[in-house]
Amino acid sequence: MVKLIMAATGSGKTKNIIDLVNEAAAQEPGSIVCIAKGNQLNFDISHKARLINVQDYSVSNYSSLLGFVAGIHAGNYDITKIFIDSLYKVACDDKPEDADQFILALDEFSSKHSVEFTVALSGDVSTASETMKKYL
């Protein structure tokens, strides 16, 4: 399952992600991962969740991000939830059509590997593509 959180910049999406990660870390029996760009969440995310700064790795587009997610999962089959904060920033690509393809690939990955994804994305909900609307 993929859940998309879409709202304008500065509307509290990151705070929402932090709350969801911390809640999942407290309740889930499996491993929780949060992928973000930069170290700004270091003190906000519970130590029970794994916070990964993509700037420490060679993630530069949606294809490399998908490979990165697959690699994380391959290294730990106990992962039950993965959160991605600010998708456009993490993937270094703000084209909605590219994000659509990534979201569809995540959904396929989720079904195959029983991992839930929650993705925060900046943008007005009224401008969401048909693909994005299915996951809001």
Side-chain angles (χ1 to χ4, degrees), residues 36-48:
K37 188 170 186 174
N39 294 317
Q40 70 273 17
L41 304 182
N42 277 357
F43 299 107
D44 298 316
I45 298 291
S46 167
H47 69 280
K48 294 179 182 178

Side-chain angles (χ1 to χ4, degrees), residues 41-100:
L41 304 182
N42 277 357
F43 299 107
D44 298 316
I45 298 291
S46 167
H47 69 280
K48 294 179 182 178
R50 172 84 193 270
L51 176 62
I52 300 173
N53 176 1
V54 294
Q55 289 179 315
D56 294 338
Y57 303 92
S58 296
V59 174
S60 58
N61 55 42
Y62 287 108
S63 179
S64 62
L65 180 57
L66 187 59
F68 185 69
V69 167
I72 292 168
H73 183 264
N76 182 356
Y77 292 108
D78 292 339
I79 295 172
T80 55
K81 294 187 179 198
I82 296 177
F83 296 85
I84 302 174
D85 185 38
S86 300
L87 180 62
Y88 288 152
K89 289 179 186 177
V90 167
C92 304
D93 182 344
D94 62 357
K95 296 183 202 107
E97 58 275 8
D98 294 343
D100 284 350

Side-chain angles (χ1 to χ4, degrees), residues 2-7 62 87-88 93-104 119-136:
V2 175
K3 296 177 190 172
L4 188 61
I5 299 170
M6 186 173 188
Y62 287 108
L87 180 62
Y88 288 152
D93 182 344
D94 62 357
K95 296 183 202 107
E97 58 275 8
D98 294 343
D100 284 350
Q101 294 305 311
F102 176 75
I103 292 166
L104 292 172
V119 180
L121 177 66
S122 289
D124 190 327
V125 175
S126 66
T127 65
S129 67
E130 291 304 312
T131 299
M132 291 176 186
K133 286 178 185 176
K134 288 190 268 184
Y135 298 98
L136 289 173

